Amino acid sequence: MAKKNRSEIKIGIELDENRVPENIVWSAPDGGVDSAVSKAMMVSMWDSVEKESFRIDLWTKDMPVDEMRVFFHQTLVSMADTYHRATNDEKMRDTMLDFCDYFAEKLELKKDDSQKDTRE
């Protein structure tokens, strides 16, 4: 019988006296990440028994709104890419990326390499 490997991602949330996140620190030793600091996170998990997703969305109280807008845009673009890799559905990926372009345009986000269209 083959030995199973195990990997861990640890997320620590430092809260203020009102239980509002002040710092998010995470580590993923197998990925070379040790105590990286973040201002926001979104984690989604799939419950295959209940056939529903659940998620954790947190951001620190000093997360600037302009950075949150970019964070959301980049997350939406990455979701389109992940959807395509999981389903090979180019048409829906392209539709999702069209929405991402619309989202960026409406928020007047400057397009840079980190927001690159994955259709290229």
Side-chain angles (χ1 to χ4, degrees):
M1 188 163 154
K3 181 182 175 187
K4 292 185 179 182
N5 292 319
R6 182 178 178 91
S7 183
E8 290 189 1
I9 298 171
K10 294 183 180 183
I11 302 170
I13 313 298
E14 296 174 10
L15 306 171
D16 69 9
E17 63 279 352
N18 296 313
R19 302 191 55 79
V20 175
E22 286 190 315
N23 291 301
I24 300 170
V25 180
W26 66 284
S27 296
D30 288 351
V33 179
D34 182 34
S35 300
V37 176
S38 180
K39 290 190 178 283
M41 62 177 261
M42 291 184 213
V43 177
S44 296
M45 307 290 268
W46 178 249
D47 182 333
S48 62
V49 174
E50 297 296 324
K51 304 291 187 230
E52 63 185 23
S53 64
F54 61 96
R55 68 178 207 268
I56 301 169
D57 302 326
L58 291 174
W59 56 93
T60 60
K61 59 186 177 183
D62 65 339
M63 174 73 170
V65 172
D66 61 327
E67 287 183 23
M68 183 61 88
R69 290 179 175 134
V70 173
F71 176 54
F72 262 83
H73 180 260
Q74 290 178 4
T75 300
L76 291 169
V77 170
S78 69
M79 287 175 64
D81 180 53
T82 301
Y83 178 82
H84 179 250
R85 285 186 291 119
T87 65
N88 206 29
D89 183 343
E90 291 182 20
K91 185 175 181 181
M92 185 52 69
R93 185 241 3 235
D94 291 349
T95 300
M96 292 171 73
L97 289 173
D98 288 343
F99 172 75
C100 292
D101 290 343
Y102 174 79
F103 185 90
E105 178 184 322
K106 290 299 178 185
L107 291 179
E108 298 178 351
L109 299 179
K110 181 181 175 185
K111 194 168 187 173
D112 61 26
D113 287 340
S114 67
Q115 300 168 343
K116 190 175 179 182
D117 192 324
T118 59
R119 290 175 279 199
E120 297 173 357

